[in-house]
Amino acid sequence: MPAPANKGAAPRIGLVSLGCPKALVDSERIVTRLRAEGYELSPSYEGANAVVVNTCGFLNSAKEESLAAIGEALAENGKVIVTGCLGVEADRIRAAHPGVLAITGPHQYEAVIGEVHKAVPRPHDPFLDLVPPQGIRLTPRHYAYLKISEGCNNACSFCIIPALRGRLKSRPIGEVMREAERLVDAGVKELLVISQDTSAYGLDLGYARSAWRGEEREARFLSLAEALGSLGVWVRLHYVYPYPHVDQVLPLMADGKVLPYLDIPFQHASPSVLKAMRRPAHQEKTLDRIRAWRETCPDLAIRSTFIVGFPGETEEDFAALLDWLSEVRLARVGCFKYENVDGAKANALPGHVPEEVKEERHARLMHHQQAISAELLAARIGTESEIIVDEVDEEGAIARSAWDAPEIDGNVYLNGETALQSGDRLRVGIEHADEYDLWGSVAAPSRADRRAELSGV
Ligand code: SF4
């Protein structure tokens, strides 16, 4: 049961955040607002006066997970407010959990806060000055997600995000850059740019100019990458589509302004499957484009995700995907088995693939890519890489290189480096590799010199 509201003590709200980094950013906004109003956060159900569950509604399995999380919060606490993508299916939530206090949809920050006020009255003396100007973040202190737009103008047949989140709505570049600056001032060393379609940034604004540091800038992908690249921190670009204008950011990567990393959700390589998926940029000459990118920036790492077993995918389509992977040699790959999503157009496509075939293709793709990944990582043994430290324990430091986004990619392990701190950036020599991770040692100059150099002493 929830903790009784202690007289005089700040009310405490629990938060369960499910789903993608975009949902995490929504959770951060809710938390920032609650803290600004004087609420405390509770790390446990027992200590909370109410719980907000930020749900995911992307795949049916994610919906099930969200419903289970709501059920758990109800059983453990009893006062539950639901928000996020699954919130658009209020009837379904109420049918499963009639006891929820309120349901709001994605990005309805005001509505969530209003429901919290009803459930747990707002404290009389908000500690506004306790909220740092960069807001409250749920990621570790040295990296932060930077959301540049909401929604999407595409119409991929397996996806209901445009229906859930609406059409592309970009934030003005001045606003994005001021948030980025606040984060860097607060100690963030790596900015992860997220949206549904990063390369489309600014299209809906007509690339409108806005001011940052006294200079007018266009809300365009390149202009944003240049401005972020001037902040002196790692900048990582997620959810980019291979449109021709993406070529323009490769020189920034070659110059070390932006990390040589592109997260491009290709989803497939067979033209007929891509057409059935209605993917953006599927008619672009992707292989030629990637070759040209690598000429400009040889160290470029491309990460991607793929869906196997899409309706109509034949054995030839799947073989074409494996051949394409052999040719393109992506650094990082994730793979999902196709699932129907309520409301998606792909549900009605002919030729649904049996589960056991999806399973078998998933295993084949992962095995195929594992060999490619092992070769690419083995080639890095004997080289030096700049890394950022995520965690330090009694055995050493766990870090990442430019090739590794947090949570989804590999790690660089530095055994014995217990004196490093999270957020440290330094050069290491790579000594060992497996299919996904690297092991290395701090490169000369000595660690002490390097730390002094890093801290500007
Ligand atoms: S690009 Fe396609 S998959 Fe991505 S959010 Fe838009 S419609 Fe969905």
Side-chain angles (χ1 to χ4, degrees):
M1 291 306 287
N6 294 336
K7 219 168 176 232
R12 293 164 73 85
I13 307 298
L15 178 84
V16 179
S17 187
L18 302 166
C20 61
K22 284 153 279 209
L24 188 68
V25 172
D26 291 348
S27 293
E28 287 173 352
R29 289 190 184 162
I30 293 167
V31 167
T32 297
R33 180 71 188 274
L34 290 173
R35 291 286 285 120
E37 292 187 351
Y39 289 91
E40 294 283 341
L41 290 184
S42 170
S44 66
Y45 288 123
E46 312 85 66
N49 300 106
V51 176
V52 175
V53 181
N54 188 4
T55 58
C56 176
F58 184 47
L59 294 173
N60 285 355
S61 51
K63 292 180 185 180
E64 291 307 324
E65 193 191 336
S66 295
L67 287 173
I70 296 166
E72 183 181 298
L74 274 172
E76 299 288 330
N77 183 282
K79 287 176 99 172
V80 175
I81 295 159
V82 178
T83 187
C85 289
L86 188 61
V88 296
E89 295 187 43
D91 291 348
R92 181 171 179 170
I93 297 171
R94 289 228 180 271
H97 300 298
V100 296
L101 295 179
I103 300 170
T104 68
H107 321 314
Q108 295 180 348
Y109 315 115
E110 295 299 324
V112 181
I113 302 295
E115 295 302 336
V116 172
H117 292 163
K118 281 189 219 158
V120 185
R122 188 180 166 167
H124 290 302
D125 182 17
F127 302 110
L128 286 171
D129 52 337
L130 294 183
V131 179
Q134 75 279 10
I136 308 283
R137 287 181 298 106
L138 302 176
T139 45
R141 192 168 175 268
H142 61 281
Y143 66 82
Y145 294 99
L146 183 66
K147 199 177 199 178
I148 59 168
S149 60
E150 304 277 10
C152 180
N153 286 352
N154 300 311
C156 302
S157 57
F158 55 81
C159 179
I160 53 165
I161 283 182
L164 287 179
R165 302 203 160 212
R167 289 179 65 75
L168 179 73
K169 196 164 181 307
S170 304
R171 298 172 64 200
I173 191 165
E175 183 186 313
V176 173
M177 288 310 303
R178 279 187 290 280
E179 179 177 342
E181 237 173 357
R182 279 197 299 275
L183 290 166
V184 172
D185 288 346
V188 163
K189 304 277 176 48
E190 179 177 2
L191 292 167
L192 300 116
V193 176
I194 55 165
S195 69
Q196 308 295 344
D197 183 352
T198 295
S199 31
Y201 173 66
L203 187 70
D204 55 305
L205 300 175
Y207 308 114
R209 288 171 169 270
S210 54
W212 177 63
R213 289 187 175 170
E215 205 185 302
E216 293 278 318
R217 285 176 178 268
E218 276 190 323
R220 269 188 202 274
F221 179 58
L222 176 63
S223 163
L224 179 68
E226 281 169 347
L228 291 171
S230 72
L231 295 175
V233 296
W234 277 15
V235 176
R236 196 180 287 284
L237 302 174
H238 288 279
Y239 312 112
V240 174
Y241 288 97
Y243 293 114
H245 70 275
V246 173
D247 302 357
Q248 298 165 340
V249 300
L250 271 292
L252 294 178
M253 294 182 175
D255 286 349
K257 300 272 191 263
V258 171
L259 287 177
Y261 178 99
L262 277 174
D263 175 4
I264 306 178
F266 288 112
Q267 308 299 17
H268 215 283
S270 153
S272 57
V273 176
L274 288 169
K275 192 157 176 250
M277 288 179 165
R278 301 180 63 189
R279 293 294 288 162
H282 76 270
Q283 283 155 337
E284 309 291 341
K285 294 196 169 67
T286 308
L287 266 179
D288 293 345
R289 170 142 289 125
I290 292 173
R291 273 190 209 109
W293 288 348
R294 286 180 172 148
E295 273 169 30
T296 309
C297 180
D299 194 33
L300 176 68
I302 300 176
R303 127 164 287 274
S304 191
T305 48
F306 295 89
I307 297 173
V308 293
F310 190 78
E313 182 193 62
T314 62
E315 187 51 37
E316 291 70 42
D317 291 320
F318 180 68
L321 171 56
L322 295 187
D323 288 347
W324 190 83
L325 285 171
S326 295
E327 192 154 359
V328 75
R329 293 169 71 77
L330 301 178
R332 303 292 185 188
V333 165
C335 179
F336 301 93
K337 288 169 276 180
Y338 172 80
E339 265 186 45
N340 275 346
V341 176
D342 292 345
K345 294 211 165 47
N347 303 356
L349 287 174
H352 277 254
V353 175
E355 279 310 313
E356 61 276 15
V357 177
K358 287 185 203 167
E359 196 69 58
E360 187 253 351
R361 288 181 186 166
H362 179 267
R364 269 163 73 199
L365 188 146
M366 291 312 285
H367 183 70
H368 186 87
Q369 176 61 29
Q370 214 174 45
I372 296 169
S373 176
E375 273 178 35
L376 291 174
L377 294 187
R380 294 179 66 189
I381 296 174
T383 64
E384 269 192 22
S385 287
E386 191 188 15
I387 53 98
I388 191 163
V389 175
D390 276 340
E391 253 181 84
V392 182
D393 61 22
E394 62 285 353
E395 288 177 19
I398 304 170
R400 289 176 291 108
S401 71
W403 281 27
D404 314 305
E407 315 282 340
I408 51 175
D409 295 329
N411 286 114
V412 182
Y413 293 97
L414 306 173
N415 292 338
E417 293 289 351
T418 53
L420 293 172
Q421 291 171 7
S422 61
D424 279 352
R425 266 170 62 182
L426 63 163
R427 293 196 73 74
V428 300
I430 304 299
E431 295 162 344
H432 177 70
D434 69 7
E435 296 90 343
Y436 301 114
D437 299 312
L438 297 170
W439 282 258
S441 298
V442 176
S446 73
R447 286 200 296 281
D449 291 348
R450 180 59 67 186
R451 286 188 59 77
E453 191 183 304
L454 284 166
S455 58
V457 175

